[in-house]
Amino acid sequence: MIPNKNLLCQIFFVAVLFWISCTKVNLDNAELGDRTADFAFPLFSTEIKLGDLLVNLLNDTLSGDTIFVNPDNSVTLFYSGDVAEKKASDIFGFLQVGIFPMGDSVITTVIPGPTGVGVRVVDLKAGTLYFSLINTLQDTVTGYFDLPQMTKNGVPFRTSSFTVAPGKSWNSGVIDVADHRLNMNNNQLSFRYFAYTPNGNRVKVPNLSGFDVGVAFSNLKFSYLEGNWGNQEYQLTRDTIEIDINQTNLKGDVRVTNPKVTMRILNSWGFPTRGVIKYLGFIGQNGEEIPLNSTVFQQSPNGTRYVDFAYPLWSAGEVGQTKYTDIDLDNTNSNIADIFNSQPTRLIYEVDGISNANSDPDVIGFLTDESAIRLQIRVELLLEGSVRNFGAEQTVPLDFSGMSSLDSAGIESVEFKLVTENGTPVDIDGQIYFQDETGQPVDSLFERGQSKIMTSAPVSNGVATDQTRTENFISMNAARFDHIRQTARSAFMKIFFTTAENGQVPVRFLADDSTTLKMGIRVKKRSE
Amino acid sequence: MSDNCLKKWVLRTAIALLGFPVVLPVFAQQELLLHSSPEIWHSNATNPAFFPEEKKFVLGLPGQALDASHSGSITYGDVFVKNGNRTVVDFGGIIDKLDSSNKVQFDQRVETVSLGVRLPFRLALQAGHAMRFSGAAVYPRSLPQLLWNGNGPYIGEELAIAPSASLARFNEWSLGLSRKIGTVNVGARVKYLTGTNALSTDPAHASASVYTSPDIYQLTLNTDYAFYSSSIITAFDTSGYGFDLQFADFRSVTFTRNTGLAFDLGLHARIGERLSLDASVLDIGGKITWDTDSDYYISQGTYTYEGQVFPGVDIVNGADNLNFETKLDSLNDIFKFSRTATSFETALPLRAYAGVNFDLTKKFELGISGYLSDRPGTENDTYALGASARYQIIKPLTVAAMISINQRNAANLGLQVFLRPGPVQLYFTSDNLLSAFNPANNPAVNFRFGAALAL
């Protein structure tokens, strides 16, 4: 019995030892067992400021236009035409070259000046004078020429003396007349010469050929011109301003609360000038002409619209100054608001000028060589208004290569979480189309078509006061997710803006209004 | 991907600090029933005053003991399951059973050889060698939750994932002397300890958490976590996603520079013919100073992964693209443990036994035994109190049973089988019989077996 019991015990202990060895577990390479785990992690976030967005949407194809952020962060769009500059010298010419034969020892001639201008003072900044004499007498003559109306530092001009034998000639050589002043009487200038025979008698040298005695001007340029200004009409500018604020082919209703067209004239012409509005109107989306009518212009008896530009007064000693004339056309004095509701595409304007339009004979005016009229018209849109389904498009490259470590073999499903935190007074509906490398759509983010991506922030007095959070969950099965991940190379975003309260109330867009767009992902993954 | 990162990090951490104990045999003994049997030579481990009566020379042969438990009803078999040829970690069935904070404790003792000799003057000399492995760990339920379910179900919750642990593996070289004074045998033993491996988390830096934001699932990882290691962790490999723990080779080393001392005291008194009393305190002052490959690892930092941040103006202008490059390499930075070579100390649990036995007949004996264990610096103190009955069926065969109560269970049924064929002692004993035969499916395991030659 006992040996049998010992045997049983021995078997028992052997069994226990065997069990011990069986229960040894080495977890150096331990792995988790089969399961479906749910992992969540962030993908990306970005903050888009309204100012940046506007710059891109509205400004990228309109070189020369500007977006101005006002001190209160409101945003003004300026669509500007070219600056039309007319220098006075372009319109009002002055004698440059002239030859004046002297049939007598004193001649008075009319110097050609600007049309309609009775010149009385000219300050020369460049030019030359040339006197010549051929002695047609039998005696030697001595003498000089002078031009008492031309002075320098108060000293009348006079040539050097000449002595010319019979049949011989003399010339003064080229005389520089820069910095000389001409004091004329209604454009008239007198030239004289004094010739004496050896016995002291003053004589007149016969001008037999018509060119034996004379004076010539060359390259005269004035720095200042003063006189009585007459009535003269001339062309100032004609230009076109592109103002298409909808850069896309998408439709949308845009209402700008207070559009303006501003006309600024910078004038340093020293005489009255009238701007005549020859044409001012918009071109609509379908090419139709829409005249811009305004009560801000005066109207002549013949129906011409005009505005008299401010100018520096000679009588007030305002030589060299520039005077400004600003003309604002807005919804209080024009039909511009109505025009902008139809989303015009361009503004065309043509302005001519008339000097001394009232033909006042007592008008004393002036010009300097720098005098000019600069005229600029611009369309000014304070971004305050409303839009409804205003469209915009953007294509953003995509790169999912960084997600290559996500082993899709075990993925059962993914769920994207798209979050917007919107600080703008705008709702955005939209759709994102995933495109392959050739630009062909391979899928879209929202299976049911465009969705609300973000909701307008709360609005008070037209201004966004807080943020509104909008969440979208986009579920995809593994196959769809894999397809997008492997084929999508860009995202074509088609979005539609509608301002607060479905575009029924005007809102103000502030440059620092911003929206945060971010996305996370949950992946249900089977681990085996 | 972050799932890989999270998974690997948490899994490695879990294995390092929880799974580590199970690289060793899952087997051992709570000593309560053994302690009630002084005639078994290995009971000397519970009281240096124990020496089998009427024996003059004892050669202790190998024996093993394990006392291990997990709080709640979690069993080894719940966690580690066979999947083909692999053993995989399966938290699926246990997460709902876990408490918010869970405890694992174990004490393993492997007797290699021991010797007892009676000397003149009623003295007895004892010497021996044993390998011991002792540890405890506390871990939050959220750790296996995160491992198993991912972070998706816990969006908006901060998951604390830091376990605390203290474990040490060491050799015990003992030399003891006992003397019988009247009817009282008094024993004392000094133990020279040589440590082989140790890991101890630093209570001052014991937090690590993962938070998944409900916004777009931004991940915030927060660590202030540190531990001491000697010959366990050799390096962190942060070259890939997450990190890999590089473990030291767990070879048995008997002599190291990690040394310490501990003392045992005990008495065993016989009062009259039938009654005996005993008491012992073990591992007094037990402490090991770890110098070999001992390092302090600490990870501190907060890292929030927010995904790619694109400048909005670049997106609007089309100057940038939406490149979903996940910059998870930077996760390594937050988990990167700095390592400082340093020595440190670990304290052994202080244990105490007391018991009384009463011989009803020559073959039938009743007893009461008690046990206390104080594990310094942890909440894993344990106790047990049991009543036993012992019956000698035949001279070489004695069986004993015990009903005991401990901190885990109010009614544990213990069993002991003691064979004495001639001078040979063979025994198997368990304070929890059901777990002894099916340890993989019980939250608490307790048994011991061994052999000796007693002359």
Side-chain angles (χ1 to χ4, degrees):
Chain A
M1 293 296 291
I2 293 174
N4 286 340
K5 287 182 179 176
N6 283 343
L7 180 62
L8 288 174
C9 289
Q10 288 165 10
I11 292 172
F12 169 74
F13 276 100
V14 169
V16 168
L17 291 170
F18 179 74
W19 180 86
I20 294 168
S21 64
C22 288
T23 56
K24 272 192 170 182
V25 179
N26 190 334
L27 290 179
D28 190 40
N29 294 311
E31 296 176 4
L32 290 175
D34 299 352
R35 74 206 187 283
T36 296
D38 177 2
F39 298 100
F41 51 92
L43 283 180
F44 72 88
S45 65
T46 185
E47 182 186 22
I48 300 173
K49 286 190 178 295
L50 192 59
D52 298 334
L53 186 66
L54 290 169
V55 166
N56 179 263
L57 288 178
L58 304 176
N59 207 32
D60 56 354
T61 61
L62 299 176
S63 60
D65 298 329
T66 55
I67 291 178
F68 185 77
V69 178
N70 303 305
D72 64 353
N73 264 319
S74 61
V75 179
T76 302
L77 301 181
F78 291 104
Y79 297 92
S80 303
D82 294 335
V83 177
E85 178 177 285
K86 285 291 184 183
K87 284 206 163 193
S89 54
D90 296 342
I91 299 172
F92 301 102
F94 188 70
L95 174 69
Q96 289 194 330
V97 178
I99 299 174
F100 303 99
M102 297 183 67
D104 201 345
S105 58
V106 178
I107 65 166
T108 297
T109 186
V110 174
I111 302 298
T115 304
V117 180
V119 179
R120 62 183 197 178
V121 175
V122 177
D123 286 338
L124 298 171
K125 67 176 183 180
T128 59
L129 200 56
Y130 182 86
F131 294 90
S132 68
L133 180 146
I134 298 174
N135 187 357
T136 58
L137 295 175
Q138 298 302 312
D139 292 326
T140 296
V141 294
T142 60
Y144 59 89
F145 287 83
D146 76 359
L147 183 52
Q149 289 174 271
M150 186 169 81
T151 60
K152 184 174 184 179
N153 300 325
V155 179
F157 175 80
R158 175 178 153 173
T159 67
S160 59
S161 297
F162 57 78
T163 300
V164 186
K168 299 297 183 182
S169 65
W170 172 89
N171 67 72
S172 64
V174 176
I175 300 169
D176 184 2
V177 295
D179 303 325
H180 286 73
R181 165 167 285 194
L182 296 174
N183 293 290
M184 297 191 290
N185 181 15
N186 198 22
N187 292 6
Q188 290 185 341
L189 201 59
S190 295
F191 300 95
R192 300 185 305 186
Y193 68 84
F194 293 85
Y196 299 92
T197 59
N199 58 9
N201 293 328
R202 182 182 180 190
V203 295
K204 181 170 71 176
V205 178
N207 193 346
L208 301 177
S209 66
F211 295 98
D212 294 332
V213 183
V215 60
F217 284 107
S218 178
N219 298 323
L220 287 186
K221 294 185 186 309
F222 70 88
S223 60
Y224 176 77
L225 187 149
E226 177 186 306
N228 295 89
W229 237 265
N231 180 290
Q232 185 185 358
E233 184 166 356
Y234 42 86
Q235 189 180 57
L236 270 180
T237 183
R238 177 185 174 89
D239 200 4
T240 299
I241 302 174
E242 302 292 339
I243 53 169
D244 188 358
I245 60 174
N246 187 347
Q247 303 284 300
T248 72
N249 294 324
L250 303 176
K251 302 298 181 186
D253 299 328
V254 179
R255 292 189 178 276
V256 181
T257 299
N258 189 17
K260 280 184 186 175
V261 169
T262 62
M263 184 182 294
R264 164 160 279 202
I265 298 97
L266 295 78
N267 184 22
S268 57
W269 292 5
F271 53 87
T273 298
R274 172 167 295 175
V276 179
I277 311 302
K278 304 286 283 188
Y279 185 88
L280 183 61
F282 289 88
I283 302 299
Q285 291 219 329
N286 300 316
E288 73 277 17
E289 294 185 25
I290 312 171
L292 174 57
N293 301 317
S294 175
T295 58
V296 79
F297 299 116
Q298 293 177 278
Q299 200 156 15
S300 64
N302 63 3
T304 304
R305 293 177 297 169
Y306 69 89
V307 60
D308 290 326
F309 302 155
Y311 66 100
L313 288 171
W314 172 82
S315 57
E318 293 175 340
V319 176
Q321 295 186 16
T322 298
K323 297 291 184 178
Y324 295 83
T325 304
D326 288 316
I327 303 163
D328 294 338
L329 288 80
D330 55 28
N331 58 1
T332 65
N333 58 24
S334 73
N335 61 337
I336 191 169
D338 295 334
I339 293 174
F340 266 83
N341 289 338
S342 64
Q343 298 180 39
T345 60
R346 66 184 58 161
L347 169 67
I348 298 175
Y349 59 93
E350 181 178 0
V351 180
D352 283 354
I354 301 175
S355 61
N356 193 7
N358 296 326
S359 299
D360 181 354
D362 297 327
V363 170
I364 302 296
F366 65 88
L367 286 176
T368 71
D369 52 349
E370 299 294 329
S371 291
I373 283 184
R374 295 180 181 85
L375 184 149
Q376 184 175 29
I377 292 183
R378 66 183 181 183
V379 177
E380 178 180 327
L381 303 177
L382 176 67
L383 285 187
E384 179 177 357
S386 60
V387 297
R388 189 160 51 191
N389 293 324
F390 179 77
E393 300 166 349
Q394 180 78 343
T395 300
V396 177
L398 286 180
D399 184 357
F400 285 108
S401 61
M403 300 180 76
S404 57
S405 61
L406 184 63
D407 178 13
S408 61
I411 293 177
E412 295 179 345
S413 65
V414 297
E415 181 186 76
F416 292 97
K417 182 178 184 180
L418 179 65
V419 175
T420 55
E421 290 167 346
N422 184 19
T424 73
V426 179
D427 285 347
I428 289 184
D429 291 70
Q431 175 65 288
I432 296 175
Y433 298 94
F434 299 107
Q435 297 178 325
D436 63 16
E437 54 197 4
T438 66
Q440 295 302 308
V442 294
D443 206 335
S444 59
L445 187 65
F446 303 113
E447 286 186 296
R448 297 177 185 172
Q450 73 180 55
S451 295
K452 178 78 72 184
I453 296 175
M454 66 185 206
T455 307
S456 164
V459 172
S460 175
N461 297 322
V463 175
T465 58
D466 202 347
Q467 289 190 327
T468 301
R469 181 182 171 93
T470 305
E471 296 181 352
N472 276 285
F473 294 90
I474 304 107
S475 297
M476 295 184 184
N477 59 30
R480 184 176 172 223
F481 173 64
D482 232 22
H483 181 61
I484 293 173
R485 188 161 64 100
Q486 292 177 6
T487 60
R489 295 294 176 269
S490 63
F492 175 62
M493 297 186 284
K494 199 168 184 177
I495 51 183
F496 302 88
F497 302 91
T498 298
T499 48
E501 300 183 27
N502 198 30
Q504 297 299 312
V505 297
V507 296
R508 179 171 293 190
F509 300 94
L510 303 182
D512 58 353
D513 284 350
S514 67
T515 290
T516 299
L517 176 71
K518 47 193 175 181
M519 181 179 277
I521 188 173
R522 287 181 75 166
V523 180
K524 285 194 175 174
K525 188 179 178 190
R526 180 74 186 166
S527 298
E528 297 178 347
Chain B
M1 296 302 302
S2 60
D3 62 330
N4 281 336
C5 178
L6 280 172
K7 183 187 75 176
K8 288 199 171 189
W9 183 79
V10 178
L11 181 58
R12 295 291 178 181
T13 306
I15 290 169
L17 299 173
L18 294 177
F20 178 77
V22 293
V23 300
L24 295 164
V26 183
F27 189 85
Q29 167 77 23
Q30 179 179 321
E31 316 284 35
L32 202 59
L33 192 49
L34 176 71
H35 168 263
S36 68
S37 307
E39 65 272 28
I40 297 175
W41 167 242
H42 281 159
S43 68
N44 171 269
T46 69
N47 188 333
F50 285 170
F51 201 104
E53 289 186 1
E54 301 173 0
K55 302 296 181 184
K56 294 184 177 176
F57 175 84
V58 184
L59 177 63
L61 299 174
Q64 291 205 31
L66 175 64
D67 179 60
S69 66
H70 189 291
S71 60
S73 58
I74 306 302
T75 70
Y76 168 86
D78 290 337
V79 179
F80 300 100
V81 299
K82 280 286 184 186
N83 184 348
N85 295 326
R86 300 181 303 157
T87 297
V88 297
V89 180
D90 186 346
F91 290 125
I94 69 162
I95 288 175
D96 291 341
K97 299 179 186 175
L98 291 171
D99 297 322
S100 59
S101 179
N102 303 275
K103 299 175 185 175
V104 179
Q105 70 83 26
F106 64 94
D107 280 301
Q108 183 189 35
R109 182 181 180 92
V110 178
E111 309 282 358
T112 52
V113 65
S114 57
L115 183 70
V117 180
R118 286 200 186 272
L119 301 175
F121 308 108
R122 310 179 79 182
L123 291 170
L125 180 68
Q126 54 187 280
H129 171 261
M131 292 184 295
R132 292 176 59 181
F133 193 9
S134 175
V138 178
Y139 69 96
R141 177 174 54 206
S142 44
L143 177 60
Q145 280 179 322
L146 183 64
L147 270 173
W148 193 252
N149 297 326
N151 63 323
Y154 309 107
I155 292 168
E157 298 178 32
E158 181 158 11
L159 297 180
I161 57 173
S164 64
S166 175
L167 56 92
R169 186 184 189 203
F170 56 95
N171 295 283
E172 177 185 290
W173 305 86
S174 63
L175 179 65
L177 193 65
S178 64
R179 187 173 190 278
K180 196 162 191 176
I181 303 169
T183 60
V184 178
N185 199 32
V186 178
R189 186 162 51 206
V190 59
K191 297 188 283 194
Y192 179 67
L193 310 173
T194 59
T196 55
N197 312 91
L199 181 78
S200 180
T201 52
D202 183 352
H205 302 280
S207 67
S209 64
V210 176
Y211 176 74
T212 306
S213 168
D215 184 17
I216 56 164
Y217 319 134
Q218 295 93 331
L219 294 169
T220 299
L221 310 172
N222 218 319
T223 63
D224 180 13
Y225 191 76
F227 61 87
Y228 296 93
S229 167
S230 175
S231 305
I232 289 184
I233 309 294
T234 59
F236 287 95
D237 177 10
T238 60
S239 57
Y241 288 142
F243 62 77
D244 277 332
L245 298 178
Q246 306 295 311
F247 290 100
D249 200 357
F250 286 95
R251 291 173 301 183
S252 294
V253 179
T254 49
F255 290 100
T256 69
R257 296 201 312 271
N258 309 315
T259 59
L261 288 175
F263 299 93
D264 297 343
L265 294 175
L267 62 84
H268 185 202
R270 178 160 289 280
I271 302 171
E273 289 293 319
R274 296 187 174 188
L275 185 65
S276 64
L277 301 173
D278 65 80
S280 64
V281 181
L282 308 177
D283 295 331
I284 300 169
K287 188 182 292 183
I288 299 175
T289 300
W290 300 85
D291 284 324
T292 303
D293 296 332
S294 59
D295 298 290
Y296 183 67
Y297 292 88
I298 185 166
S299 168
Q300 286 179 301
T302 298
Y303 176 73
T304 298
Y305 178 65
E306 297 183 321
Q308 289 284 78
V309 178
F310 299 108
V313 65
D314 289 349
I315 298 299
V316 169
N317 292 333
D320 201 352
N321 64 0
L322 298 176
N323 184 341
F324 296 102
E325 175 63 33
T326 50
K327 295 178 179 175
L328 292 178
D329 285 347
S330 50
L331 285 176
N332 288 331
D333 297 336
I334 192 64
F335 288 124
K336 206 168 190 174
F337 281 81
S338 67
R339 172 179 171 176
T340 306
T342 185
S343 61
F344 63 97
E345 292 181 342
T346 56
L348 272 59
L350 182 68
R351 296 175 293 152
Y353 283 94
V356 56
N357 285 331
F358 183 76
D359 299 337
L360 282 177
T361 68
K362 283 191 175 181
K363 292 186 176 181
F364 189 58
E365 178 184 295
L366 298 175
I368 295 174
S369 296
Y371 169 73
L372 278 174
S373 169
D374 175 27
R375 199 177 291 272
T378 75
E379 300 173 358
N380 281 54
D381 298 341
T382 57
Y383 67 89
L385 182 65
S388 62
R390 186 178 315 278
Y391 183 68
Q392 182 179 328
I393 300 172
I394 55 177
K395 189 168 184 182
L397 175 61
T398 301
V399 295
M402 172 179 274
I403 292 290
S404 65
I405 181 173
N406 60 18
Q407 78 284 350
R408 287 189 43 79
N409 202 336
N412 299 289
L413 176 62
L415 178 70
Q416 184 182 87
V417 178
F418 180 34
L419 281 168
R420 281 180 291 184
V424 176
Q425 289 189 350
L426 296 171
Y427 69 92
F428 171 81
T429 183
S430 170
D431 289 353
N432 189 339
L433 181 63
L434 297 178
S435 72
F437 291 101
N438 192 9
N441 294 311
N442 280 282
V445 179
N446 177 282
F447 52 79
R448 172 186 262 268
F449 69 94
L453 186 64
L455 299 173

